[in-house]
Amino acid sequence: MDSANSTSGPNPPHQLPRARVTRWVLVAIAAILYGILLGTHVGAWAGGADSSGYLNNARLLRAGRFQIEQRTIEGLPSSQVSSFTYVPLGFIPKNRDQMVPTYPVGLSLLIVAVSPFTGWAAAPHVTEWLHGLAGVALIFALARAMGLGLTAGFWSALIMAASPLYVMMSLQAMSDLPALVWCTAAMLCAWLSRQRDRWAFAAGWCVAIAVLVRPSNLLIMGPVALCLGLGWRRWLWLALGGIPGAAFLGWLNFDLYGSPFNSGYGPVGGIFRWEHVPPALSNYVRWLPVILTPGIVLFFAFPWLYRRESRWLITVLATWAATFPLFYVSYLHTHEDWWYLRFLMPSFPAIILLMVLVARMILSRRPTPWPRFASWGLAAVIVAWASFWGGRLHVLSAGRGERIYRDTAVWTRAHLPANAVLAAMQTSGALFYYTDHTVIRYDQFNPAKFSVIETACAALKRPIYAVLYPFELEEVLEKRLPGRWTQVGAVNYATIWRRDGSEPADKPPVPWTPLAAARVGESEVSVNGVAGWFSAESDHKNDWAWSSAKSEVEVKGTRRENLSVQLNFALRSLAPCTVTVKQNGAVLWKGPVGIKRSFLSLPIPLVDGQARLEFSSDSPGVRETSEPDSRLLAFAVYDARLAAAKSPP
């Protein structure tokens, strides 16, 4: 009888440790899988303005420098060109032959700090990866420190980790995720200082790093101050932790920009305007439910928490949650796209914690008879929501998208003359980081001003090339730098052009689209869409290019020899159609194509190292969107690959 009683009841004592261990094992497995997900997709390359700016600055700091010389065209007086002519994105000019970084120094310092442990090449990737893990761990630790319980910590960490914006910012060299991490760390330390004063020293240190990462992170001092209260010892420790960072930032700003209160951004008053508020609020309403799940509506019920939770706690969280959204609501860029809500990320932990607290309050009033199953079901819904939107927004492609910059720069370094002058804008920071070429900003020229560059380069026998993204082609090749341009290369949707003269071209140049390339015997064979193709696209799984119904493909080797290659690819269309592939008028393949991919393997004979294929559809295609100027898409070629050579025909 006693034995039976000792094992009865809903929660036998000997089963509690096992359940707890099981839960922590599952959490550990989830954390490992999340780390693998981020680690296999992170791509903190030197890319556009921000990422190249941070990495160029990090390389300067590693060398013990804060400014660098411009790479100029020798013999060309600086007075004849704009001060920004040789200044890539991520820099601003200083004097006539120097330039200094645009962006804050914090993320660059963190990359330098990580580099002794990882090597320089891996340091940017590891730095972002560590921040991606740290942000999730910190919100969990903060929930526990604030006494919200283990379950609230788990839910908060899950919502944070699953956020499409959080994942996207974890995969590239941007300061938004470090801003969130160091602001959260500052709040955790400030909260702990209520138990032990010396935690305020760590809070001051974290605030200093947060401000070095982004000056507007000084806003975190509002909720930090609420945590510290009126205890003078805590404020003293905060000052001791934060003053060294503040002094360093003031000295650096004075040295680089002429005043402790200046920055590389220049005057910013004009980019905060009241007219930006309505569209920014609209962007909040549209995208915050996507980024933080529809549960964001629970956040607005936080005033009811004052009846059940600590008023001090709710006041701290509410202040923190409101600070950054209110500050950036009038900012120039906040309304432009969903991912511009990245500026709000330092407030995400507070918003999430309040959401979870409101959900807990509601569920406590209506307890479910199956709490464990309901909890797992809700977790599955959150993960499914994040997976759907993450796939739709291609967030896992963020790192791969940045790698295109690096691959393009590596191509120019390998294929262009060492003395080449490269006209660029979008890729200028990456070209400066990965190559030793002289880079000029095409946006500083019109046809008349560019003649000065052409004359100087002609005298020095320095060839001119342009490295362009699709949105830059018309502006550069037809408006700013018209003349004769010949495409010499392409890396995904980036194209490389050689300047062959200033005489007007008979017709605008048409870029070709790279589809595949491989070494076949002694020849390097490339497959390029030369007519009727839109720019190449990709995500973390596939590469593809859309055709406008009639298009041509050129297969060309570097050696003029007869050989045969095997071209493997898949076809897909938005609506059922019939696609025909011809070579020299002979049909190589003809068949139906639909929304599911049709896989093909075609033997292509090359004569003198060349072949030309014609693709055509019996349907004009489908409009991509309802906009009248949207693309008319007939069919797409997916994942084209060249197989090994067969015997010569």
Side-chain angles (χ1 to χ4, degrees):
M1 186 69 177
D2 291 340
S3 176
N5 289 339
S6 67
T7 59
S8 63
N11 294 308
H14 71 277
Q15 292 186 5
L16 293 179
R18 183 182 301 174
R20 190 171 300 161
V21 168
T22 300
R23 180 164 50 185
W24 280 107
V25 167
L26 291 174
V27 169
I29 292 173
I32 292 171
L33 293 176
Y34 189 69
I36 293 173
L37 175 71
L38 297 184
T40 53
H41 289 87
V42 68
W45 309 99
D50 295 72
S51 54
S52 69
Y54 293 122
L55 266 64
N56 274 309
N57 195 8
R59 188 167 62 181
L60 278 178
L61 294 171
R62 184 171 178 244
R65 305 177 63 190
F66 297 104
Q67 60 188 37
I68 190 171
E69 295 78 17
Q70 299 177 14
R71 299 174 189 166
T72 60
I73 298 173
E74 59 273 23
L76 180 61
S78 58
S79 59
Q80 295 188 22
V81 294
S82 162
S83 61
F84 273 89
T85 295
Y86 304 110
V87 179
L89 295 179
F91 286 95
I92 59 173
K94 184 177 183 181
N95 304 321
R96 294 299 299 185
D97 58 351
Q98 300 281 318
M99 55 187 181
V100 296
T102 301
Y103 297 110
V105 73
L107 176 54
S108 302
L109 283 173
L110 292 168
I111 293 172
V112 173
V114 169
S115 63
F117 305 97
T118 64
W120 182 250
H125 311 288
V126 174
T127 301
E128 285 296 325
W129 180 76
L130 288 173
H131 279 89
L133 298 180
V136 177
L138 282 168
I139 192 173
F140 176 79
L142 186 63
R144 297 297 307 279
M146 290 180 165
L148 307 185
L150 200 61
T151 302
F154 286 147
W155 283 111
S156 301
L158 177 61
I159 294 172
M160 177 81 87
S163 167
L165 186 60
Y166 186 90
V167 173
M168 182 180 181
M169 291 298 112
S170 300
L171 303 179
Q172 49 190 318
M174 301 282 279
S175 63
D176 306 278
L177 181 61
L180 178 153
V181 167
W182 290 101
C183 285
T184 307
M187 287 298 298
L188 175 60
C189 295
W191 187 266
L192 292 174
S193 73
R194 296 165 60 82
Q195 301 172 9
R196 189 174 182 184
D197 291 342
R198 293 186 181 182
W199 275 106
F201 178 87
W205 182 261
C206 292
V207 169
I209 296 177
V211 174
L212 287 170
V213 167
R214 181 179 288 163
S216 62
N217 287 337
L218 186 60
L219 294 168
I220 200 63
M221 273 303 301
V224 164
L226 288 176
C227 291
L228 297 182
L230 300 177
W232 67 268
R233 288 186 178 86
R234 291 194 289 269
W235 282 97
L236 177 60
W237 281 114
L238 181 84
L240 291 175
I243 284 176
F248 170 72
L249 180 60
W251 170 81
L252 183 66
N253 286 345
F254 179 80
D255 183 62
L256 297 183
Y257 312 117
S259 168
F261 306 104
N262 288 347
S263 73
Y265 294 117
V268 297
I271 60 177
F272 289 88
R273 296 183 179 275
W274 285 110
E275 57 261 32
H276 301 152
V277 173
L281 290 175
S282 176
N283 211 26
Y284 288 3
V285 171
R286 180 181 180 185
W287 287 109
L288 282 176
V290 171
I291 295 168
L292 296 176
T293 78
I296 187 70
V297 299
L298 298 176
F299 165 77
F300 298 98
F302 79 84
W304 279 268
L305 291 171
Y306 282 105
R307 300 178 182 179
R308 299 173 61 94
E309 307 286 347
S310 163
R311 294 193 175 189
W312 188 259
L313 168 66
I314 302 307
T315 299
V316 169
L317 290 177
T319 302
W320 181 10
T323 297
F324 290 89
L326 288 176
F327 178 77
Y328 280 107
V329 73
S330 62
Y331 181 51
L332 172 64
H333 298 296
T334 306
H335 68 279
E336 291 184 352
D337 211 333
W338 73 273
W339 49 271
Y340 273 109
L341 298 187
R342 59 194 175 92
F343 296 111
L344 280 57
M345 287 179 64
S347 279
F348 278 12
I351 295 172
I352 292 171
L353 288 172
L354 288 173
M355 288 166 50
V356 170
L357 283 175
V358 171
R360 187 175 71 175
M361 178 184 69
I362 295 172
L363 291 175
S364 67
R365 293 181 176 180
R366 297 178 178 272
T368 173
W370 306 289
R372 182 175 300 177
F373 296 105
S375 181
W376 284 108
L378 189 56
V381 169
I382 292 174
V383 172
W385 178 268
S387 299
F388 171 78
W389 281 105
R392 185 168 181 177
L393 298 172
H394 307 296
V395 298
L396 291 178
S397 302
R400 181 176 180 176
E402 289 290 285
R403 181 166 181 161
I404 294 170
Y405 290 89
R406 177 257 187 192
D407 291 346
T408 302
V410 169
W411 190 97
T412 65
R413 193 174 63 201
H415 293 85
L416 302 187
N419 68 338
V421 175
L422 308 185
M425 190 273 289
Q426 182 65 26
T427 59
S428 57
L431 292 170
F432 190 87
Y433 184 82
Y434 291 113
T435 78
D436 295 322
H437 289 299
T438 297
V439 180
I440 59 173
R441 288 270 296 275
Y442 70 72
D443 54 319
Q444 301 300 305
F445 295 101
N446 57 33
K449 291 181 179 180
F450 190 67
S451 63
V452 175
I453 297 290
E454 278 198 297
T455 301
C457 288
L460 297 168
K461 297 186 180 339
R462 298 191 66 175
I464 299 174
Y465 293 82
V467 183
L468 306 174
Y469 271 27
F471 72 89
E472 301 176 292
L473 290 170
E474 181 180 357
E475 180 180 4
V476 177
L477 304 183
E478 300 181 38
K479 297 179 181 179
R480 290 187 178 273
L481 314 179
R484 289 187 288 112
W485 292 94
T486 301
Q487 186 176 354
V488 296
V491 179
N492 205 292
Y493 46 76
T495 53
I496 301 93
W497 303 78
R498 184 184 65 238
R499 179 79 166 182
D500 290 331
S502 57
E503 302 84 0
D506 296 334
K507 56 182 180 180
V510 178
W512 41 262
T513 300
L515 299 177
R519 187 169 188 83
V520 180
E522 298 298 322
S523 182
E524 293 184 6
V525 181
S526 59
V527 182
N528 301 306
V530 293
W533 298 93
F534 296 102
S535 298
E537 302 174 62
S538 64
D539 57 21
H540 66 284
K541 292 182 179 179
N542 307 106
D543 304 292
W544 67 90
W546 283 99
S547 169
S548 57
K550 291 186 177 181
S551 50
E552 296 182 12
V553 168
E554 181 182 69
V555 185
K556 189 173 183 180
T558 54
R559 296 169 64 92
R560 297 179 62 86
E561 58 183 353
N562 296 343
L563 67 150
S564 180
V565 298
Q566 198 79 12
L567 182 60
N568 304 313
F569 60 96
L571 287 173
R572 173 179 173 264
S573 63
L574 296 179
C577 64
T578 298
V579 174
T580 303
V581 183
K582 295 181 179 180
Q583 181 179 5
N584 300 326
V587 176
L588 294 181
W589 182 86
K590 182 177 182 179
V593 176
I595 58 175
K596 292 185 177 180
R597 296 177 205 168
S598 303
F599 294 91
L600 305 180
S601 183
L602 301 180
I604 310 295
L606 275 63
V607 179
D608 290 335
Q610 299 185 59
R612 203 172 186 91
L613 308 180
E614 299 174 359
F615 286 69
S616 61
S617 168
D618 64 348
S619 169
V622 178
R623 285 286 175 193
E624 185 176 21
T625 68
S626 59
E627 299 296 325
D629 59 347
S630 65
R631 299 185 302 176
L632 192 62
L633 307 179
F635 57 88
V637 167
Y638 273 76
D639 301 323
R641 299 291 185 268
L642 280 171
K646 292 184 177 181
S647 301

